[in-house]
Amino acid sequence: MTVKDLANNQTLLAQQEKRESNARSYPRRIPIAISEAEGIFVTDMDGKRYYDCLAGAGTLALGHNHPVVIEAIEKILRDKRPLHTLDITTPVKEEFVNEIYSNLPEQFADRAKIQFCGPTGGDAIEAALKLVKTATGRSTILTFQGGYHGSTHGTMAISGNHAPKQYVQGLMPDTHFMPYPYAYRCPFGMKDEEGHRVSSTYIENLLDDPESGILHPAAMILEVVQGEGGSIPAPIEWLQEMRRITKERGIPLIIDEIQTGIGRTGEMFAFEHAGIVPDVIVLSKAIGGSLPLSVMIYDQDLDKWNPGAHIGTFRGNQMAMAAGTALLKFIKEHELHNHAAAMGKKMIVALKEMQHQFGEIGDVRGRGLMIGVEIVDPTQGQSASGSYPSHPALASRIQRECFNRGLILEVGGRNGSVIRLLPPLIITEEQVTDVLRIIEEAVKVAVESME
Ligand code: PMP
């Protein structure tokens, strides 16, 4: 096959369908072959340009090929730095660690140890599970309904979604799912915003009840804003309660910041909104400045595992560390976390207005630039908490109508019915307006097509 034969979308997509695994996912919903990318835009093989509000599933905080990222990568090459060093240290790594530590709350940074993991978010979560089990000598893990932590055996065991796990036998045992404060579909059937208090009470009771059936946990793991579960922000008070409850009982709290981290939610790290200090945080996605990298940062008291307890070949990606350093510096210098908060607010206000126009928009929620629009069928009966049944067919039609109009966004959440926006933090106000215009048009056309 020559390059000429590969010169359009259709040929590449056909080749992909023929040769790639049945497990491939995004191309099924976003049928595009990307030729070039810059900032918030990608251009396909046929020359059509799209807004990329998926941005590598939240990875590309500065968008595609940001000049500071490109310069950092090129500098590694110019300076003849090693590209790969296992976990052997280098000046590039030292600068990266300094940069991360300088962004952490002092209370955490002063006592922090860092483990480089290899190189996916899932691997860093695996490391976190092993760390807390080793440090506590316990095995029970408390996780949450709707949580997503990865696609490996261990991380899938602590993730909520049934679809990928139902065919895989023998997942990690002793994992227990707690109710996440999902106000629109309150697990306790409550109509107001009070459901999170019941969740805290339930969890505290369960930990203290000698007949709860759940042994003293090695850790609790949570996302401050659930990503794959449907862009669901946890109330601040609930997060503070989770910290109090775990702290009082000597249970390490692992915060999965893989999707929320590095400015996306309006703070550098999402846990900062609640003013809490976790025991472990896990970072990946944005931290490598577009390149694969993951790290776990944890309190020194947990550092009880042996040399070599968590290894892996690809833990020394120097280009990713340099790109990550450049990204962190740029975000801090330009206060992009504040920009993310402002742009997110603008989007949420506009989407809530759209909700008055379309009964099919059941809920609009988010924190910073991590936004969810839950698509429902308002012709059906309401649940106890006032929610309507999800409408996955309409959600996927909206996604397709957006795509046709040059906007890439993800659909996820319960039953694949939540439109998820994860644009790069550099999105401008004009681009926000344009993206909202496309969404409004797409919703209108999609709703009409269902009538
Ligand atoms: N945790 C969270 C919160 C995530 O969003 C993801 C990826 N979507 C992961 C873990 C897993 O990361 P990776 O795909 O790099 O293994």
Side-chain angles (χ1 to χ4, degrees):
M1 174 142 327
T2 68
V3 174
K4 196 160 171 283
D5 293 324
L6 294 175
N8 65 41
N9 268 339
Q10 221 184 351
T11 46
L12 282 189
L13 287 169
Q15 283 291 91
Q16 181 178 40
E17 192 176 335
K18 194 165 124 206
R19 297 198 288 209
E20 273 188 39
S21 155
N22 199 41
R24 69 191 183 282
S25 63
Y26 292 105
R28 296 180 188 277
R29 304 184 295 281
I30 303 162
I32 182 176
I34 298 173
S35 166
E36 283 164 31
E38 190 180 2
I40 195 173
F41 295 109
V42 296
T43 306
D44 74 7
M45 295 293 289
D46 300 338
K48 181 171 170 185
R49 201 166 79 144
Y50 296 81
Y51 280 108
D52 185 3
C53 285
L54 173 58
T59 301
L60 303 163
L62 298 185
H64 293 270
N65 296 331
H66 193 280
V68 297
V69 167
I70 299 298
E71 167 54 24
I73 293 171
E74 285 178 351
K75 188 166 183 332
I76 291 283
L77 296 174
R78 280 200 309 273
D79 292 353
K80 294 195 165 44
R81 299 288 185 197
L83 296 182
H84 169 257
T85 68
L86 300 165
D87 62 349
I88 292 166
T89 198
T90 68
V92 172
K93 182 189 237 187
E94 180 65 13
E95 201 187 351
F96 175 65
V97 175
N98 284 344
E99 198 54 43
I100 298 187
Y101 273 41
S102 74
N103 279 291
L104 287 168
E106 232 174 78
Q107 240 182 312
F108 189 54
D110 286 350
R111 301 178 46 82
K113 296 284 264 183
I114 186 165
Q115 164 81 20
F116 281 79
C117 303
T120 66
D123 186 65
I125 297 284
E126 292 283 357
L129 295 174
K130 287 164 61 181
L131 177 84
V132 292
K133 286 186 176 188
T134 308
T136 62
R138 306 190 288 261
S139 71
T140 300
I141 304 292
L142 297 188
T143 181
F144 287 89
Q145 289 172 244
Y148 181 79
H149 302 288
S151 203
T152 59
H153 260 65
T155 58
M156 194 157 66
I158 58 166
S159 300
N161 192 355
H162 296 176
K165 64 201 284 189
Q166 63 184 317
Y167 303 107
V168 184
Q169 298 298 310
L171 293 177
M172 185 178 74
D174 215 357
T175 297
H176 301 278
F177 286 82
M178 302 291 110
Y180 194 80
Y182 180 6
Y184 185 64
R185 297 190 187 284
C186 175
F188 304 103
M190 296 180 74
K191 267 205 173 77
D192 47 29
E193 299 282 321
E194 298 301 297
H196 74 86
R197 299 217 170 88
V198 188
S199 165
S200 317
T201 308
Y202 174 86
I203 292 167
E204 188 162 22
N205 171 271
L206 191 135
L207 287 167
D208 291 344
D209 178 1
E211 301 211 10
S212 69
I214 297 177
L215 295 177
H216 197 47
M220 170 187 282
I221 181 164
L222 60 86
E223 294 157 88
V224 171
V225 183
Q226 282 191 340
E228 308 303 316
S231 307
I232 308 167
I236 299 304
E237 191 185 326
W238 181 84
L239 291 163
Q240 290 164 342
E241 279 295 273
M242 290 306 106
R243 178 64 284 191
R244 178 189 64 76
I245 290 168
T246 49
K247 185 120 205 147
E248 285 176 3
R249 290 159 183 80
I251 302 166
L253 177 63
I254 306 170
I255 306 259
D256 180 342
E257 289 268 2
I258 289 170
Q259 195 164 133
T260 50
I262 327 299
R264 174 154 301 279
T265 67
E267 291 282 359
M268 206 58 161
F269 303 101
F271 69 80
E272 293 179 88
H273 289 284
I276 57 173
V277 179
D279 298 294
V280 183
I281 63 168
V282 181
L283 299 169
S284 188
K285 291 198 193 276
I287 195 69
S290 313
L291 298 177
L293 189 64
S294 75
V295 294
M296 163 174 67
I297 307 173
Y298 56 93
D299 188 280
Q300 62 195 19
D301 281 354
L302 293 170
D303 200 30
K304 295 203 169 96
W305 52 3
N306 288 327
H310 193 76
I311 52 172
T313 304
F314 284 110
R315 292 182 296 138
N317 186 338
Q318 301 296 295
M319 281 187 179
M321 291 177 203
T325 304
L327 170 131
L328 283 162
K329 283 186 170 156
F330 191 87
I331 289 181
K332 196 160 55 179
E333 197 181 321
H334 296 267
E335 296 188 356
L336 279 187
H337 51 293
N338 292 334
H339 179 68
M343 293 301 103
K345 198 177 245 173
K346 188 175 156 77
M347 278 188 153
I348 288 178
V349 167
L351 290 163
K352 278 190 192 278
E353 265 167 36
M354 254 181 245
Q355 210 179 353
H356 298 306
Q357 202 182 329
F358 303 105
E360 289 79 3
I361 298 183
D363 193 29
V364 174
R365 55 185 178 248
R367 200 164 279 152
L369 285 173
M370 199 162 164
I371 296 168
V373 181
E374 182 146 352
I375 304 301
V376 298
D377 184 349
T379 64
Q380 305 295 311
Q382 278 173 294
S383 72
S385 65
S387 62
Y388 289 102
S390 39
H391 199 333
L394 179 57
S396 105
R397 183 65 192 248
I398 294 169
Q399 182 185 36
R400 178 54 66 99
E401 295 296 341
C402 285
F403 183 77
N404 292 344
R405 289 166 176 73
L407 169 61
I408 295 174
L409 39 71
E410 174 62 320
V411 164
R414 302 304 204 283
N415 305 310
S417 63
V418 180
I419 308 284
R420 298 192 58 221
L421 286 150
L422 286 166
L425 313 188
I426 45 117
I427 190 169
T428 65
E429 208 158 346
E430 297 76 58
Q431 289 166 346
V432 165
T433 307
D434 211 21
V435 163
L436 288 166
R437 175 192 58 78
I438 296 175
I439 294 175
E440 188 167 355
E441 260 178 51
V443 173
K444 188 167 185 294
V445 171
V447 166
E448 281 167 8
S449 77
M450 294 278 154
E451 286 167 0

